[in-house]
């Protein structure tokens, strides 16, 4: 089974940037989605990529960019103009089983997560 490993999280001030990285254990994984979960809140989808096509949550549109380097088995999430409300544990997921890309239950492979903290 494919494995995922996230990195790149950290602490930044509002308005700053971070780039998260998700490395997959094999090159062909299909759709990959970044999710995030803040304490006491449900896991929510942030951005997805599949065959070069991307999708974003409204809350991050025009601030976050998902991209993929197939040669490096890596998916990136570039996060700009970060806000305190972006503070969460960020996970990448694959093994999409179909349905809406933004539903966590439609993915069956998850990484361990990387923490992002944005201070005001």
């Amino acid at each position: 089974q494919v494995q995922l490993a996230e990195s790149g999280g950290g602490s930044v001030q509002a308005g700053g940037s971070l780039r998260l990285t998700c490395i997959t254990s094999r090159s062909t994984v299909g759709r990959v989605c970044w999710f995030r979960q803040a304490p006491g809140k449900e896991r929510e989808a942030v951005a997805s990529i599949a065959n070069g096509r991307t999708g974003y949550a409204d809350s991050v549109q025009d601030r976050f960019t998902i991209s993929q380097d197939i040669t490096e088995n890596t998916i990136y999430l570039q996060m700009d103009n970060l806000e305190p409300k972006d503070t969460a544990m960020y996970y990448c997921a694959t093994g999409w089983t179909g349905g809406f890309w933004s539903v966590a239950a439609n993915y069956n492979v998850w990484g361990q997560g990387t923490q992002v903290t944005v201070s005001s």
Side-chain angles (χ1 to χ4, degrees):
Q1 178 168 317
V2 64
Q3 294 181 324
L4 307 175
E6 305 96 331
S7 62
S11 297
V12 297
Q13 291 189 327
S17 298
L18 285 172
R19 188 177 77 162
L20 305 185
T21 298
C22 174
I23 298 176
T24 67
S25 59
R26 66 174 189 236
S27 60
T28 54
V29 294
R31 179 179 298 279
V32 177
C33 187
W34 283 97
F35 285 82
R36 66 186 181 187
Q37 187 167 20
K41 295 188 176 181
E42 293 187 356
R43 193 166 294 192
E44 64 171 349
V46 174
S48 173
I49 188 166
N51 296 320
R53 299 184 65 177
T54 59
Y56 296 92
D58 290 344
S59 60
V60 306
Q61 186 77 45
D62 298 327
R63 298 190 299 123
F64 290 11
T65 304
I66 190 171
S67 61
Q68 184 173 21
D69 184 339
I70 295 175
T71 63
E72 297 293 332
N73 295 354
T74 302
I75 294 87
Y76 301 101
L77 184 68
Q78 176 67 40
M79 306 187 296
D80 298 317
N81 194 20
L82 283 160
E83 303 171 359
K85 67 180 182 180
D86 296 316
T87 295
M89 183 71 79
Y90 283 70
Y91 301 89
C92 63
T94 191
W96 182 57
T97 57
F100 291 109
W101 68 263
S102 58
V103 176
N106 292 341
Y107 298 83
N108 56 27
V109 180
W110 293 82
Q112 293 300 306
T114 186
Q115 177 68 38
V116 171
T117 303
V118 185
S119 59
S120 57

